Amino acid sequence: MATWHVEMQRRGPGLLLRDILAAEDPDIAAVVAVIAEVSPDILLLTGFDWDLDLAAARALEARLAEAGAAYPHLFALPSNAGLATGLDMDGDGRTGGPRDAQGYGWFAGQGAMVLLSRLPVDADGVRDFSGLLWADLPGAKLPEVDGQPFPSAEALAAQRLSSTGHWDVPVILPDGGRLHMLCFAATPPVFDGPEDANGLRNHDEVALWSVYLDGGLGSAPDDPVIVLGNANLDPSDGDGRGAAIANLIGHARLRDPGPRSAGGTEAADRQGGTNGDHRGDPAFDTADWSDDPGPGNLRVSYVLPDRALTVLDAGVFWPAADDPLRPLIEGEGLPRHRLVWVDIDP
């Protein structure tokens, strides 16, 4: 099982499909090469543009199949990213901007997510929490300014919690059992003002899965679950309310397999800057961000299996400088994030 924030969003609909079909695009070729090398059985891609017929996802799958990593089952739902509201959702006095959508985006589906699987998806068993209003999450932390709803009561009444989506997707195991993939991608906890709207929303997007597993959004699955996706939140370092991801990592039903890489440790030592002030182990880092002024390299992507599952191995695909696979993550325009994988025996 793996997740990767591939940063394959484009500035207009159809542009990602164009680039995937253009065989000479080096960035997409590098993404294909990494996925083919790791070759997970189930892969959640975040930061991937959604379209109605999943044309971009199908084009990517075709290239993966050519590289020896076929995924016969694709799943994606419409995303909150870029979904227009007609309201001023960021308090700048204007409407129609990317921050006025339900989730940041210049068009519907920009920077969404897609699940690629070698196991069949039980489509009838899918639960989609993407339409849940933020205010309806038990224990929601809603933004205020001077005791008043931010940016307005009208906006908060319409605001969905998910900036991209939250899906419970059962896949069918060879023995007929179900394994529930709890997929999500949360907003960054920055790019806001003193009201901390994005920080609060990021906290609650991460917290949603803890609420779900505790029965706060209806009955949680009896079958094993795996939480995977981009939380945009490190438990120890960077901006944001790290308690949300610390609580999820430590949930009684989940285990943290501690995926590590040699490249993450090497990068933090070599790049220095704010990395030197971090408290977390850089071997767990999954994103390579600016070191001066920061936030530096952080752990933001996760694969958290159910304690009922046996973890065989785990890692972050971040080869060290002397690793023959290192060229796969080098070059201009490649994702700043790294693929995170966990090998389980269901």
Side-chain angles (χ1 to χ4, degrees), residues 292-305:
D292 186 11
N297 305 341
L298 299 172
R299 183 186 187 187
V300 295
S301 292
Y302 299 85
V303 181
L304 303 173

Side-chain angles (χ1 to χ4, degrees), residues 41-45 48 50-51 53-65 69-77 113-123 126 167 169 171:
D41 295 297
I42 297 176
L43 171 63
L44 177 69
L45 296 180
F48 189 95
W50 175 88
D51 60 77
D53 296 321
L54 304 188
R58 296 185 192 284
L60 178 65
E61 195 282 326
R63 292 192 58 173
L64 288 169
Y71 291 92
H73 306 285
L74 302 179
F75 181 83
L77 293 170
M113 55 187 186
V114 61
L115 188 70
L116 295 80
S117 178
R118 293 180 180 142
L119 299 175
V121 171
D122 177 8
V126 170
W167 312 331
V169 183
V171 296

